[in-house]
Amino acid sequence: MTGRPGRTGRATKAGSQASAGDLLELVRTGRATTRGALQQVTGLSRATVGQRLERLFRAGWLREGAGGPVDSPLGGRPSITLEFDDAHAVVLAADLDTRHARAAVLTLTGEILAEHSGTLVIEDGPDAVLGELGRWFAELLEKAGHRAGEVCGIGLAVPGPVDSETGRVVQPPIMPGWDGYDITGRLARAFTEHTGAQRVPVLVDNDANLMAYGEQRTGHPDCSAFMLVKVSTGIGAGVVVDGSVYRGIDGGAGDIGHIRVGAEALCRCGSYGCLAAVASGGAVARRLAEAGLPAASGSDVRDLLAAGHPEATALAREAGRRVGDVLATVVTLLNPGVLMIAGDLAGTPFLTGVRELLYQRALPRSTARLDVVTSRLGERAGLVGAGAMVVEYLYAPERVEERLLALGV
């Protein structure tokens, strides 16, 4: 019941090998949106294109749009355009932080229809947290005016490394009690328990990965190498290369919070000197608390920064410099076109600190075409990315064929 975001721009099968799923992919991505264009791209005959499109119409996944321009100089009727029908189902998504969570109902094209945020403490354990998410989902569906039977899948962002093949977190430093837990199974049961609907696919990924995926798709679709760094209670990074999240061998890519920076601070992972131990929102909160200020987490630091508190501002800039020093190496290695800073500390003081050290330490060639920006989607980035992950998984060509057969069309 797990999966991963689909790869955009995948090669289309030619001739008789092009399936109904391949045709849907071409329409969804805008590469071919008329019957004639589908024939031209795939080499299929008019009759075969018509037969395969008919299956997609019967499933409710395609619809006819307005007529397009007349291509022939001799005139004639305009070609009828084909559109992915995003009204036939909805997606549920949730984004977990250490003490807070957000959940939403989304359309298949990423529009948020209903949303809820509230306290949800990850240290309470997966059974309690995922059970509560099931209740949130039931309430959100009612608020959005959609039936539970319309849900095609659930996407979940978590603040820890995820094995994408199993959907289970692997030795997460800030998720005690979650290591190896069957997240997909528990959340699927919670959804059924609170809605009475049949179980649906549940997909899980790291929060920074899904934030990067959501931000890249919505704001930087032409950037072939995109990197997002989330600085909240911990520090993590998501990398999107050629439209797909780069995860490494087992989901550990992007865990830059545990790069050693030579400090003596004890990290929550049990090691000394990790970047997260000295430059995360949690680390800044501890230093502020030691100075007598009310700060217990990255979100508290965010509130102090919003209020212009001078000590919080100074510490955020210092944290940014430490992160920027590490990112100088990362940027030189990955050569991204966009580096996005997100999370609780993603304000002017922290960003200023990042830029100071990044441009000072990185090779000039690595930063010449680099845009260093802050999040556009803000706290919704993880939700949008989780929703997109579900859609790309369920509507991948090979899975479309499986689902059409299950529907009997």
Side-chain angles (χ1 to χ4, degrees):
M1 296 185 67
T2 62
R4 59 183 67 185
R7 181 179 298 275
T8 59
R10 53 167 74 86
T12 302
K13 296 176 183 176
S16 61
Q17 292 183 332
S19 66
D22 291 310
L23 299 191
L24 182 63
E25 175 86 351
L26 289 168
V27 173
R28 278 204 318 117
T29 58
R31 292 165 59 198
T33 57
T34 65
R35 288 170 173 81
L38 289 170
Q39 288 176 239
Q40 185 175 12
V41 171
T42 63
L44 295 175
S45 69
R46 180 177 179 179
T48 303
V49 167
Q51 291 168 358
R52 293 180 183 174
L53 290 179
E54 179 60 26
R55 298 177 67 200
L56 298 171
F57 282 119
R58 287 167 59 195
W61 298 352
L62 272 190
R63 65 187 174 207
E64 290 187 341
V70 177
D71 295 329
S72 171
L74 300 177
R77 291 186 302 173
S79 301
I80 299 298
T81 59
L82 302 170
E83 300 174 350
F84 178 58
D85 189 346
D86 69 339
H88 72 269
V90 293
V91 174
L92 296 173
D95 185 4
L96 296 180
D97 209 332
T98 52
R99 306 188 63 82
H100 185 269
R102 304 181 79 87
V105 182
L106 299 93
T107 68
L108 298 180
T109 49
E111 178 188 355
I112 293 180
L113 302 175
E115 184 178 4
H116 174 74
S117 62
T119 300
L120 207 54
V121 181
I122 211 159
E123 289 186 354
D124 288 344
D127 188 64
V129 168
L130 298 174
E132 182 67 3
L133 275 183
R135 185 179 69 80
W136 285 16
F137 285 150
E139 294 176 353
L140 281 167
L141 284 167
E142 184 175 352
K143 181 179 178 182
H146 283 272
R147 295 176 290 103
E150 297 176 75
V151 176
C152 63
I154 300 172
L156 178 65
V158 297
V162 177
D163 182 335
S164 60
E165 296 300 325
T166 65
R168 301 182 185 225
V169 292
V170 183
Q171 300 177 0
I174 59 176
M175 299 178 69
W178 291 70
D179 185 21
Y181 185 85
D182 181 15
I183 296 174
T184 61
R186 177 66 182 104
L187 188 52
R189 291 195 304 274
F191 169 72
T192 297
E193 290 164 4
H194 287 279
T195 66
Q198 293 183 345
R199 289 173 66 153
V200 297
V202 176
L203 285 79
V204 185
D205 203 348
N206 171 262
D207 54 358
N209 282 349
L210 292 180
M211 290 173 69
Y213 194 54
E215 294 276 10
Q216 189 270 338
R217 286 171 60 91
T218 58
H220 303 273
D222 296 326
C223 180
S224 60
F226 177 95
M227 181 177 182
L228 177 144
V229 178
K230 179 187 178 184
V231 187
S232 290
T233 300
I235 300 176
V239 178
V240 180
V241 177
D242 292 334
S244 294
V245 175
Y246 177 74
R247 297 181 177 81
I249 295 299
D250 59 5
D255 202 2
I256 65 170
H258 300 286
I259 292 175
R260 304 293 175 83
V261 293
E264 295 300 320
L266 176 64
C267 182
R268 294 182 66 169
C269 73
S271 298
Y272 286 88
C274 294
L275 180 65
V278 295
S280 65
V284 173
R286 285 192 295 275
R287 293 186 62 181
L288 290 171
E290 290 168 0
L293 294 168
S297 66
S299 59
D300 294 330
V301 177
R302 180 188 61 205
D303 294 340
L304 289 168
L305 289 171
H309 193 282
E311 192 158 356
T313 298
L315 288 175
R317 182 165 179 170
E318 179 186 332
R321 288 172 58 85
R322 286 184 174 272
V323 172
D325 196 12
V326 169
L327 289 178
T329 300
V330 175
V331 163
T332 301
L333 177 66
L334 296 179
N335 190 210
V338 175
L339 171 61
M340 179 174 285
I341 307 298
D344 292 329
L345 266 60
T348 300
F350 185 87
L351 191 63
T352 299
V354 168
R355 284 177 167 151
E356 283 180 24
L357 265 289
L358 174 62
Y359 287 107
Q360 177 183 328
R361 301 285 172 82
L363 290 172
R365 186 182 182 283
S366 300
T367 58
R369 299 172 60 190
L370 176 68
D371 289 331
V372 182
V373 300
T374 53
S375 171
R376 294 180 57 174
L377 296 175
E379 294 180 336
R380 291 178 164 178
L383 296 176
V384 173
M389 169 178 65
V390 171
V391 172
E392 292 301 320
Y393 173 81
L394 291 177
Y395 294 92
E398 65 276 11
R399 210 148 288 110
V400 164
E401 286 303 306
E402 296 172 6
R403 297 176 66 204
L404 287 174
L405 289 173
L407 290 171
V409 299

